[in-house]
Each structure stands twice: as C-alpha cells, then as structure tokens.
Amino acid sequence: MDLRIDDPLWLLLFIPVLLYFGWAWLQSRESYNKEHKIIFCMRVVAISLLVFALSAPYILLSIKEEQVVFLVDRSASMKGTEKDIASWIQESMESSKEYQSKGVYSFATGVQTDLGLTANRTNLPEWPVLKDSGQTNLANALQLVTNVVDKNKATRIVVFSDGVETAGSTTEQLSRLQNSNVQIDTVKVDKPVKQDVAITSFETPPVAYKGERQQLTVQIEASTNTTSELLLSANDKIIEKQKVQLDSGSNTVTFRHTAKGDGLIKYKAQLKMAEDALLENNELTSVTTVQGTPHILLVHSDDVKSSSLSNVIDQSTLKVDTISALELPSMQSSYIGYDAIIFDNVSGHLVGEQKMAMIEQAVKNFGMGFMMIGGENSFGLGGYFKTPIETILPVEMEVKGKEKIPSLGLTIVLDRSGSMYGNKINLAKEAAARSVELLREDDIFGFIAFDDRPWEIIPPNPLENKKQVIEQILSVTPDGGTEIYTSLSLAYERMQDLKLQRKHIILLTDGQAATNNSYEQLIEEGKKANITLSTVAIGQDSDRGLLQYLAEAGAGRFYDVADEETIPSILSRETSMLTRTYIEDNPFYPIIGGGAKWQSLFKDGVPKMNAYIATTAKQTANVIIESEKDDPVLAEWKYGLGKTMAFTSDTTGKWSGDWARFQGWSDFWNTTVSKLLPSYNEVPYNIQQQSDGSFIVSDPTAQSAFMDIVVVDEKGEELSITEEPLSPGKTRVNFDHGPGLVFFRVSNEDAGMYQAGLTIPYSAEYQIQPDNTKLLTELSTKTNGKELTEPAEAFRKLPSASSNQQNIAQWLVLMAMLLFFIDITIRRFGWTTLRNIPNGIRKTKKETQQEEQLNVGELLKNKKIR
C-alpha cells in the first residue's frame, strides 16, 4: 500500500493553522483543565484532517488479478491454421492460475469475441464464422481489445499472426501501447505450404480504334515453378485460352487482339490451376473504349424473331445489335457500351426492374439514349407504371379521360407461405401496392393472403383510403404451408355478386397444393359472373401446369416468373389492362410539330395512322407528333445527360398504318434515332487510382470550373462518394467498394463529359507476399513482451503488479466531522456525560423502567410540597 497526494500545495495551509493553534495554546494553557485540553487536541486534529483532505490524498492498493488475451489473425492469408492455433491456446489455458482471466478474440477486417474474459476453467469453443476475412487490420484489433480489458489490471495480449497487415498501421499504435500496462507477446504462425498463382496486373489500352491491334499485358506472380491455364475474354466471350509456364516470382504474358466491334469492351484475364491456394487472386478485369460508328441496341419481344425496325435503320452509318428482351445483359458495363437502346414493343415483365435500373443509370449518368416504341406489350400495357423506365421516358403511363373507365373490381390472392420469405414476398407486396395506386377511389379492391388457410386482409370494398390499404398489404409476413383452392374459392365468392363491368382475380404463388375440389367448376361459375383469372408462377417449385390451366380456363394470362424482379411489372400490366382502355384505335391524321426539321419529312402530306397507346406527356417534354385527342405520338426530353423518346404507335404497320408504307418512313426513323445519340463533348480527364484506394480525377486542360463526378458499379447502383478538392481541376474521390469494375462519369459546365471503366483489384490480403516477422518482433520488444514458442509461457507472471487508486479525502472529511460532533457534545453536556454514554447504552430494560418510575414519583412529590 502506498500513500500519495495529487495537490501538495494545499499542505502549505498547515503553516498558518499550526501558528494559530500554537499561539492559542500559549495564551490559555494555564487555564485549561483536562477537559479543555482534550477539546483543544480534537480541534487541532479535525482542522489538520480537513487541510490534508484538500490535497487530494489517495492510496494505491495492489491488484493481484491479471488478464491474458489471445488475439488470433483469421484473415484469408491465414487459412488452414485455425486448428493448430486452437490446440496451442487450449494447452496454454491449462497452465493459467486462479488470479488470471483469459479471453480469445479473432480479427481480420474487424474483431469478434470467441471467448469472453473469464477466470474459470473452460475449453475453447469451435471457431465461429468470421464475416469478412478480406483484410488484416491488426492495429484496429489491438485498439479494440485494449479498450475492452480492465485498464487497472496487468494485461498481456498474445498475438497469433504472420505479421502481414493490409489495413491500418500497427506502428502508429505502438506509442500508445508503450505507455500502458499492456504487454504484448507474439506467436509466429507457420502457414501450410501451398502452391499459389496470382494475377497482379492486367493492362489494356484505355482507348483504341476500330481495327487497331491492341496489346493486352498480364502480370502473374507464382509461389513455385508451375504450369497454369490462362483465359482471356472480351465482353464475357473467350478470345484466348492457352497453357503458360510460370517461374517462381514475377511473370509477364503479352497478347495481341484486334477488336472487331466498337464501344466499351470489358476484358477479363483468368487463371486456372489445380490445387491453387487462393482463388480470389486469379482474376482481374480491364476496360477499353473502342471508338467507331454509333452503336445501337435494338430489343424486340421474345415471341418475334426480330424488330421490323432493323430493316429500316441505315446500318451503313449505325452499328445495330438486335436481341430479344430475355437476352438483355445483367451487367452495367454491357449497357454503357451502347450509344442508344430501343425497346420495340417489349413487355416489362421480360425485362425486370434491376435491368431497368441499369438502363436508367446509363441514360442519366453516361449520356446513353433510350426510346420506347408502342404495341400491345408496351407502355402501360407492358407494366411500366412506376418503374425506372417510366422515370426516364417523356410520357407517363397514366392516361387522361378517366370518365371512360369502366367500373371494375380487382382481388389479389397472394401466397404468404414460408417459402415466400425474403425478396419474393417483398416484391409481391410492392407489386400489390403499385396496383392499388393504379386504381380509382371508387374501384373495388380485395386482398387475400394465404398459407394453409386463407387470410382475408382486405374484403372487396371501394378504395376510399389508398394509404391505409397499402399499409395493410405491406404488413403481411410469410409463414405456414400452401393451400390454394380455399383461398381462390373465397376470392370468387366475394366477387360473385358485385355489380361491376370488369371483375378480375390475380393469383401469385411459388408452391403446390393438392386438392380434391374442382377448379373447373369454380372457374365456370365465376365466368357466369363475368370474373376472369390471371396466375403468376414464382420460382422453380411452383405448379406451372396447374397455374397455366387456371389462367387459360379463367380467360386470363399466365406468367412464368424466373426473375423475381419482374413481379411488379406483371401486376402493373395486369392492373393496367383491367383499368384502362389504353389502345386508341380510331384512324386519324397525326399533327406534326417539333419544328422545320420534322415537318420537312412530311412535305408531301401526313399519312393516316390506325392506332396508338394512350399516355400523358410530362410537363417539360417536347411533343413532336400528337393525335387529334392531344395525346403524344412522338415525344422527347432530356433525362440527366441522356435523351429519351417515346413513339406510342408501332413499327409493323398494324397500328402505324399508312406511315409504314409512305416513302419517308426510313428517313423518319433515321432522323428519330439520330436524335437519341449523345451530343456531349469528349474531355480527356485523367483518373488515377492511389495506393490508399482513393482515385484522383484531374482535368489536364484546367478549363473545368467544376467537375460533376458519378461512380456506378456493375449492378447499376450509384455509389456514395466523398470528394476532396486538391487544386483547381483536381479532386480526390473516395468510396467503399469490393473488387470488380466501377464506372466513372465526369462532366463539366460546358457539356463536356468523360466516362471510363476502372478495375478495383482484389485486396492485398490475397497477394503472394512473405511473412512480416520484423513487425512481430518490434511489437513484442517495444511492449516488454516475448516471442513465444511454448504455450505455458503465455501465463507467466507479469513483471509488475497493477494498483488500484483509492481516494481517501472523503474519509478524512468524515473523521473531521465526527471530531467536531464530539467537541460540541463535550462542550454542551460535559465530559462526565460523554463518559457515561456507554454505561447508559448497557442499561437493561428493567433498570430503565425503574428509573423512569422513580423520576415520576419524585416529580409528584415535589408538586405536592408546592
């Protein structure tokens, strides 16, 4: 035990205090009796205690308890070492003492607790799964663990690692650790010897020209002499495959490739080798922009061989790729490579909202053009209500003239069984809510959710409060089994007697349900009441045969959903077909606007058009051609950096009528497509990736007053970025993203734009690199630890015991107050009274009662005498 004080200057008060008491003693000591002397001494002691309390005294009590924490590196580079480390720790814990607590923590990118600090004898549990092993951040792990342990106890941290850190800096933590009572021991972990090959660099020219022979350079690191297979692909198609002989260390392989097409080309280099230690470092991508003629993607419906527009567009000046809707790519890079995309009578449920979102990104941030052409499967009839495609188009799917809408009722029967858990049920609920928004307030809407029994969430009633109805739909949760018949029967029963012009049921399910009841009888009775039925089969386990039969028998449509993202488009399409008479099929002569350029195409007269899909032009859209009812037939506007157009008639001649036969038909479409092409100026911005993972974007011309920067990943999602201006025309960009392709779009105030695809390589964790024993040695040496070789050494006695600081000022004040209380008691009642207090305490109850009786008797006697 050690007594210390924090503010010794207060002790100077003892000088005037002692002088005063010394003077008082000299003045009065002759008149002091024994009682006075005792009181005087108590006062001196009490005042001295108060002065001493002001100096903030405390005592240090030694703490015997110790803490030993095992900190285990479980990053990807340590794969295969867990079993040996667990055995080492278990053997070590057997030698722990009663006063030693132990705990086990794992780290990689983050830190997790495997065994909380405990002094009890225990076994190390199985290693739990580590969420992210893609980095080694030892500095962060040390900081977190030292904050978890009791700082008042002597602590030892035993680090198991190869010393390689790929994030953070342990050296920066050392100064803090040196000034603490934490000692760090290290155990060098020997990793299993495995063959490993890694692509460390893959370079292609950022810009090339059509027909130019490009050089592709692959840098490969190998741990030993070996043979591997190298594959090169362009836009996910293999262009080169060969065996390569690799020497231990660095190897360079060069290829020559002539790009036949143009636009953005995504190259990928990939290594394949048996018994490879890490697969994460076997692949890198690179992007090259091949300049050439404008590149158009023409998308047609899946039930036709091609778009008739491909025979009209001048393909001598444009390169046109024609695909079906089901062949649309699922990577953002595949869309950015096109100058424009045209949907020719394509249904939204064949596309899916994820691909729609990628198209929106390409238009908004990369200047691509987009056009939708009408037909039975397009616009509102295609289920594009409230989709990313409707967002970018110059028209809305809602139509005017609601007085023509027939009275109608819609009931949605939704499978809420356990198998619908996750994205299925969420998208289905979102789709049902979107259908509600398409209905009028006086339309009838019902909603039944079923598992092994029907749950009537919303009985068929007029939609007086859409918000409340949508909230009820979104509150449904998945649970239970699947029983279709009873739920479908309830839906028919509820709609049977409704006096409406149109009554429709939509059934969505991902399961199968056996029943002895007759669907045929149920549907036939429904037909007599004018009820129709459409079905949606979600996933591979659904009973497609039954659902297709129900739709055909119910005079509706059957949808076989492979991609859950298409569910909202399906329900939007179904509701749109039910709620609106979209097709305007009265032949008319369109009104041509849009200026002299468009009017010159019709100098010999305007042909008659048979039909179009009714839409509503957005407020800022430019309507070039409109119908006699003021509905847009051809409209355009700008969305972000791109341009979009809507042609609400078709290209086959069925709806466009005489337009498809007049001599200016080809000129009309070539003019239309030319309006879609990007019109921005190319600016040669430089984008360089830094060693810390950030990117430096700079304008070498120094002419941009500001730079608008957007970064999009391969999924079409815009990434959240932070910008740090470094100098005029130079900015540092930071964002979080794993390995893979990202796409930069940089634009300025003068409509200048630059786009580039850049590769974020795999983490340094997957690189082939030697162990960093120097760091482990430095860590143990500077914290007075050891490099351990024997498990029992981890629980050796720590060099110095820790102490707990106990403040005693409050106890000194309490003692002073007690002395003052005794002082007051003596002066008030005298020393004899104080001395007799213990005797009074020892009196028996009987003695006390006798004494009270004598006192009462004495009082009565005195009263009588008076």
Side-chain angles (χ1 to χ4, degrees), residues 14 21 39-51 812 815-816 819-820:
F14 274 117
F21 279 113
I39 292 173
F40 183 85
C41 292
M42 284 194 295
R43 290 180 180 177
V44 172
V45 173
I47 297 297
S48 299
L49 289 173
L50 290 175
V51 172
L812 296 176
M815 290 172 62
L819 289 173
F820 278 125

Side-chain angles (χ1 to χ4, degrees), residues 584-605:
E584 294 285 351
D585 55 0
N586 296 313
F588 66 99
Y589 289 96
I591 302 167
I592 309 299
K597 182 176 181 179
W598 291 99
Q599 293 172 1
S600 65
L601 297 173
F602 305 95
K603 57 186 177 183
D604 296 329

Side-chain angles (χ1 to χ4, degrees), residues 343 346 348 356 370-374 377-400 402 405 434 437-438 569 572-573 575-577 579-583 613-618 631-632 645-648:
F343 275 15
V346 173
M356 293 185 197
F370 178 80
M371 183 176 191
M372 178 172 282
I373 299 172
N377 299 313
S378 193
F379 294 101
L381 295 178
Y384 289 100
F385 177 68
K386 284 210 166 183
T387 64
I389 293 297
E390 185 188 31
T391 302
I392 66 178
L393 284 175
V395 296
E396 295 175 351
M397 306 305 158
E398 284 275 29
V399 296
K400 297 177 287 186
K402 293 187 178 181
I405 300 172
R434 193 178 293 181
E437 295 185 46
L438 279 166
S569 294
S572 290
R573 181 172 191 257
T575 310
S576 297
M577 295 177 74
T579 58
R580 304 287 186 264
T581 305
Y582 273 99
I583 302 175
I613 291 184
T615 59
T616 302
K618 292 180 180 176
D631 291 331
M645 303 183 78
F647 182 67
T648 58

Side-chain angles (χ1 to χ4, degrees), residues 137 248 398 407 641 723:
N137 196 334
S248 176
E398 284 275 29
S407 60
L641 295 176
E723 298 180 46

Side-chain angles (χ1 to χ4, degrees), residues 105-244:
Y105 295 82
S106 296
F107 73 95
T109 304
V111 182
Q112 75 176 19
T113 304
D114 301 319
L115 177 65
L117 278 167
T118 177
N120 300 326
R121 294 280 179 178
T122 184
N123 292 324
L124 180 66
E126 292 289 330
W127 293 114
V129 176
L130 201 63
K131 290 182 179 179
D132 184 3
S133 60
Q135 297 276 12
T136 302
N137 196 334
L138 176 58
N140 178 60
L142 288 171
Q143 182 178 12
L144 289 175
V145 169
T146 51
N147 288 333
V148 167
V149 298
D150 189 341
K151 294 179 175 59
N152 294 318
K153 296 179 182 179
T155 303
R156 173 179 293 123
I157 299 176
V158 183
V159 177
F160 293 81
S161 179
D162 58 1
V164 177
E165 54 180 347
T166 59
S169 174
T170 303
T171 305
E172 294 177 2
Q173 290 283 335
L174 275 175
S175 58
R176 181 181 68 85
L177 293 169
Q178 284 178 284
N179 298 323
S180 67
N181 63 338
V182 176
Q183 183 187 80
I184 298 179
D185 290 350
T186 58
V187 179
K188 169 65 175 63
V189 180
D190 295 323
K191 295 176 291 187
V193 178
K194 292 183 178 180
Q195 282 194 58
D196 192 22
V197 292
I199 299 177
T200 56
S201 172
F202 179 39
E203 295 182 0
T204 64
V207 179
Y209 294 91
K210 189 175 180 180
E212 178 184 355
R213 193 167 174 80
Q214 305 168 31
Q215 179 171 304
L216 316 179
T217 304
V218 185
Q219 197 79 22
I220 303 172
E221 189 81 15
S223 59
T224 58
N225 296 337
T226 187
T227 301
S228 181
E229 185 179 38
L230 179 61
L231 287 77
L232 292 179
S233 62
N235 291 336
D236 299 321
K237 293 182 180 179
I238 301 294
I239 59 173
E240 187 75 36
K241 181 190 294 185
Q242 70 175 55
K243 294 283 186 181
V244 289

